[in-house]
């Protein structure tokens, strides 16, 4: 049977059932002499056909006058659920885009010695130190900086929800754990004199660059 015909039949059945319920109520209240309590059954409509009507605006407009209130309420609920899903997907895409943009931030190369060796600082390090003023010194050894720079896209980030734009910064706890697993120094007390000297020099260069970008706002 055509879906349109099924809807028309169900609409008619629903209308007649409402009259039967009204008459039955009057009978129970003593306002009617006849009791009409038998309720007719609806014609079965498969869920796929209903979904096609809900999603196809042309079909919906053609058949909406034969849709019962229950069916319209069901359509409205499904539309709201799908809109909620789309909004969540858009938010996730926006956050993912922001993370990818941060991964492609500028990289500043700072001379480490008079030779060709260069120390690399990723922009995300500058963003992170704004959130964590007591940045661990051990992360600035030559080996750890190389590890961090090379594997920056893999490092976990933390979202700062209370700031405008909800920026993402490096998760220091996860960084220390990752550096440990990668074979680097992961405690300040484990630094020997040479490693400590490297870290202090690199951290000083890092702070100078950060203060230079801040200008008059620099500490």
């Amino acid at each position: 049977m055509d879906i349109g015909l099924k809807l028309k039949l169900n609409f008619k059945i629903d209308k007649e059932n409402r009259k039967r319920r009204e008459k039955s109520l009057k009978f129970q209240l003593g306002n009617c002499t006849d009791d009409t309590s038998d309720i007719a059954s609806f014609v079965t409509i498969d869920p796929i056909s209903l979904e096609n009507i809900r999603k196809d605006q042309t079909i919906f407009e053609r058949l909406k006058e034969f849709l019962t209130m229950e069916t319209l309420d069901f359509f409205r609920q499904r539309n709201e659920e799908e809109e909620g899903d789309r909004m969540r997907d858009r938010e996730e895409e926006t956050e993912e885009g922001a993370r990818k943009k941060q991964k492609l931030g500028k990289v500043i190369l700072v001379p480490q010695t008079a030779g060709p060796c260069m120390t690399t600082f990723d922009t995300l390090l500058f963003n992170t130190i704004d959130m964590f003023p007591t940045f661990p010194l051990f992360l600035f050894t030559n080996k750890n900086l190389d590890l961090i720079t090379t594997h920056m896209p893999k490092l976990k980030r933390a979202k700062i929800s209370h700031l405008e734009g909800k920026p993402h910064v490096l998760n220091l706890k996860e960084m220390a754990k990752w550096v440990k697993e990668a074979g680097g120094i992961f405690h300040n007390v484990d630094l020997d004199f040479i490693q400590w000297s490297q870290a202090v020099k690199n951290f000083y260069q890092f702070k100078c660059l950060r203060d230079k970008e801040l200008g008059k706002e620099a500490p």
Side-chain angles (χ1 to χ4, degrees):
M1 186 184 297
D2 177 72
I3 182 65
L5 181 57
K6 288 182 179 181
L7 287 173
K8 292 176 183 179
L9 286 173
N10 281 345
F11 187 79
K12 183 179 179 181
I13 292 170
D14 181 63
K15 187 175 180 181
E16 292 174 350
N17 283 344
R18 290 178 187 275
K19 290 180 179 179
R20 290 189 180 96
R21 292 190 185 97
E22 183 180 354
K23 191 171 182 180
S24 179
L25 179 60
K26 287 181 179 180
F27 175 79
Q28 294 175 26
L29 296 174
N31 299 327
C32 180
T33 57
D34 295 324
D35 180 16
T36 307
S37 57
D38 292 337
I39 301 298
S41 299
F42 290 106
V43 178
T44 302
I45 300 177
D46 63 279
I48 295 177
S49 297
L50 284 177
E51 281 293 286
N52 290 337
I53 296 171
R54 182 179 67 85
K55 294 180 178 180
D56 192 316
Q57 192 63 27
T58 302
I59 299 176
F60 176 79
E61 290 296 330
R62 178 167 58 87
L63 299 175
K64 66 179 180 180
E65 63 179 305
F66 302 110
L67 297 174
T68 63
M69 290 300 298
E70 289 78 6
T71 303
L72 290 173
D73 286 340
F74 170 74
F75 283 3
R76 184 161 43 250
Q77 181 180 355
R78 290 288 295 120
N79 290 339
E80 290 174 355
E81 290 173 354
E82 288 188 353
E83 179 59 27
D85 292 339
R86 285 192 291 270
M87 288 182 64
R88 283 190 291 273
D89 290 342
R90 286 194 292 269
E91 290 175 356
E92 291 176 359
E93 289 176 0
T94 300
E95 289 187 2
E96 181 65 22
R99 286 194 292 270
K100 289 181 178 179
K101 186 176 181 181
Q102 285 183 329
K103 290 178 185 178
L104 298 176
K106 65 179 180 180
V107 174
I108 301 174
L109 300 179
V110 182
Q112 183 184 15
T113 65
C117 184
M118 306 289 280
T119 301
T120 303
F121 302 127
D122 191 280
T123 301
L124 203 51
L125 286 174
F126 290 92
N127 296 339
T128 303
I129 201 171
D130 289 335
M131 299 295 106
F132 303 99
T134 55
F135 211 84
L137 184 63
F138 67 83
L139 293 175
F140 282 85
T141 63
N142 291 347
K143 180 177 180 178
N144 283 349
L145 280 177
D146 288 341
L147 287 170
I148 292 169
T149 302
T150 303
H151 300 281
M152 181 65 75
K154 300 178 182 178
L155 298 180
K156 290 187 178 181
R157 290 153 170 73
K159 182 167 67 173
I160 310 300
S161 301
H162 66 279
L163 294 183
E164 183 180 356
K166 299 181 179 180
H168 287 74
V169 298
L170 293 171
N171 186 316
L172 294 186
K173 184 176 180 180
E174 291 293 336
M175 280 182 68
K177 179 181 177 182
W178 180 85
V179 167
K180 177 183 177 180
E181 294 173 352
I185 299 295
F186 56 94
H187 284 302
N188 287 344
V189 295
D190 293 332
L191 296 170
D192 60 28
F193 178 74
I194 295 176
Q195 293 166 335
W196 181 87
S197 299
Q198 290 176 355
V200 168
K201 183 177 180 180
N202 291 335
F203 188 65
Y204 175 76
Q205 293 174 344
F206 176 81
K207 291 283 284 183
C208 288
L209 281 170
R210 175 177 176 269
D211 290 355
K212 180 180 179 181
E213 287 198 352
L214 291 175
K216 294 181 179 180
E217 300 295 327

